[in-house]
Amino acid sequence: MNLANLTSTDIIDGIFNNDIALVSKAITLIESTKAEHRTMAKDIVQACISNHNTVRIGITGVPGVGKSTFIEQFGTLLTNLGKKVAVLTVDPSSRITKGSILGDKTRMLELAKNPNAYIRPSASGSTLGGVARKTRESINVLEAAGYDTIIIETIGVGQSEIAVHSMVDFFLLLKLAGAGDDLQGIKRGIMEMADLIVINKADGNNIKNAELSKTEFTRALHMLPPKENGWSAEVLTCSALENKGLRKIWQVISTYCTLMKDSGFFAKNRQKQNEQWLVQYLEQEVLTAFYDNNKTKELLPELKDEVMNGKTSPFAAAEKLLKLLK
């Protein structure tokens, strides 16, 4: 099959038939900034939009907490339970080559070989917080391809957690005991977003530390205001390395989804996500139109030079550029 000569219709048919090569091709088109690719991507995303019966799980944690090992073992558990799992891992981008650094697919070798799993590492580019620019669109493609459980891994730095939280149904925070990753090292905002906190690496000599951390975080959660949906987050321990405690985590997620669907919050949250998707897309398109404007291309280098050499302020230069849009 010559992927270069495929039409949007060919790719869409391939997505609904779970053709992995065409699913990957679709996501590549979605992530592309080329004008001809963007046109095809819009057709693909439009065809894939539907009210899929899926669950979207966001997983975050600082580097070293064991996210890749956790996701590999957790994803394997879900496939053993009959689920089809897709993992979107957002890697930091190299500022030199613009490519991904961490290479999550190479860190989840067993899950990558699983016929009921799909892993897609994406370079974050210049998007705020390290979240891939087209993650939302990729989610829709994967759901249309038949994946019922979508896991989105953040790189665990800065604002990426906020961005991922806005596109998932359940937000899981991984923590590590006994390595300085304690209550003092976590922002309150992330704890407020978390639907479940899991202390990973609760094995060997670290079991006692993990239990102490569990107690600490449980007490801290009681000090936070109640969630809009009425859910009370809890703290669990697990060992992804020894494959312990993962089934309990899935039970909590399943219970959460059932309760939220029964209350109507699940559907309400998905609607809110679609609204945020619209706003995000508009912002991206406005920026693209601004930088693609011929007048902008002509004036921007000159104004950059003036700002760099102290001849004008960034504010004055920005005002001149923004006037081009009027």
Side-chain angles (χ1 to χ4, degrees), residues 15 22 24-25 103 131-132 154 213 233:
I15 291 170
L22 295 185
S24 297
K25 176 68 174 178
V131 179
T154 82
S213 291

Side-chain angles (χ1 to χ4, degrees), residues 28-296:
T28 297
L29 290 171
I30 285 169
E31 293 176 345
S32 175
T33 56
K34 293 183 179 179
E36 63 271 25
H37 290 171
R38 289 173 61 203
T39 300
M40 291 183 70
K42 289 175 185 176
D43 293 338
I44 292 167
V45 172
Q46 181 61 42
C48 291
I49 290 178
S50 180
N51 294 318
H52 303 287
N53 184 23
T54 62
V55 57
R56 304 166 183 171
I57 304 168
I59 297 179
T60 191
V62 297
V65 76
K67 290 192 294 295
S68 294
T69 302
F70 175 86
I71 291 172
E72 179 163 54
Q73 295 293 346
F74 189 59
T76 300
L77 167 67
L78 295 181
T79 59
N80 290 339
L81 292 174
K83 302 292 183 182
K84 290 199 66 178
V85 179
V87 181
L88 291 172
T89 67
V90 185
D91 281 356
S93 292
S94 163
R95 293 194 176 273
I96 299 173
T97 66
K98 310 301 180 185
S100 299
I101 297 174
L102 299 181
D104 294 80
K105 200 162 185 177
T106 63
R107 295 186 287 130
M108 302 181 199
L109 289 176
E110 292 306 312
L111 188 60
K113 292 185 288 187
N114 191 316
N116 289 317
Y118 176 85
I119 300 175
R120 174 74 181 204
S122 299
S124 63
S126 57
T127 307
L128 175 64
V131 179
R133 187 170 61 92
K134 296 294 186 179
T135 302
R136 294 181 190 273
E137 288 87 342
S138 299
I139 290 172
N140 275 262
V141 167
L142 291 166
E143 289 176 338
Y147 294 96
D148 51 40
T149 308
I150 313 296
I151 296 174
I152 305 171
E153 176 196 5
T154 82
I155 55 176
V157 291
Q159 298 297 307
S160 60
E161 292 87 357
I162 297 173
V164 167
H165 182 263
S166 72
M167 62 181 82
V168 298
D169 306 307
F170 190 92
F171 194 68
L172 190 156
L173 173 62
L174 279 179
K175 298 301 294 177
L176 181 63
D181 189 24
D182 54 17
L183 198 56
Q184 296 298 320
I186 185 171
K187 301 294 184 184
R188 171 173 169 159
I190 299 176
M191 283 193 65
E192 289 177 333
M193 289 190 296
D195 298 305
L196 176 65
I197 296 175
V198 176
I199 314 298
N200 191 26
K201 300 187 180 181
D203 45 49
N205 296 327
N206 209 34
I207 293 177
K208 184 177 180 180
N209 287 331
E211 290 298 328
L212 289 173
S213 291
K214 177 182 176 180
T215 302
E216 262 194 329
F217 280 105
T218 300
R219 288 173 180 165
L221 286 174
H222 290 156
M223 300 171 64
L224 298 178
K227 291 178 177 286
E228 175 191 355
N229 58 12
W231 174 259
S232 296
E234 62 178 295
V235 185
L236 299 176
T237 62
C238 83
S239 170
L241 187 64
E242 296 182 354
N243 202 13
K244 294 179 180 178
L246 302 183
R247 190 174 290 270
K248 173 62 176 175
I249 293 169
W250 177 242
Q251 289 173 353
V252 171
I253 295 173
S254 298
T255 299
Y256 173 92
C257 291
T258 299
L259 291 173
M260 294 305 110
K261 287 178 180 178
D262 289 345
S263 69
F265 183 85
F266 194 95
K268 180 181 175 182
N269 187 48
R270 284 284 180 98
Q271 290 172 348
K272 188 176 180 181
Q273 290 175 11
N274 288 338
E275 178 187 19
Q276 291 170 322
W277 183 7
L278 168 63
V279 172
Q280 182 191 50
Y281 186 79
L282 280 172
E283 290 173 349
Q284 292 171 358
E285 289 299 293
V286 168
L287 277 174
T288 300
F290 174 75
Y291 285 111
D292 284 348
N293 185 293
N294 289 329
K295 292 181 179 178
T296 302

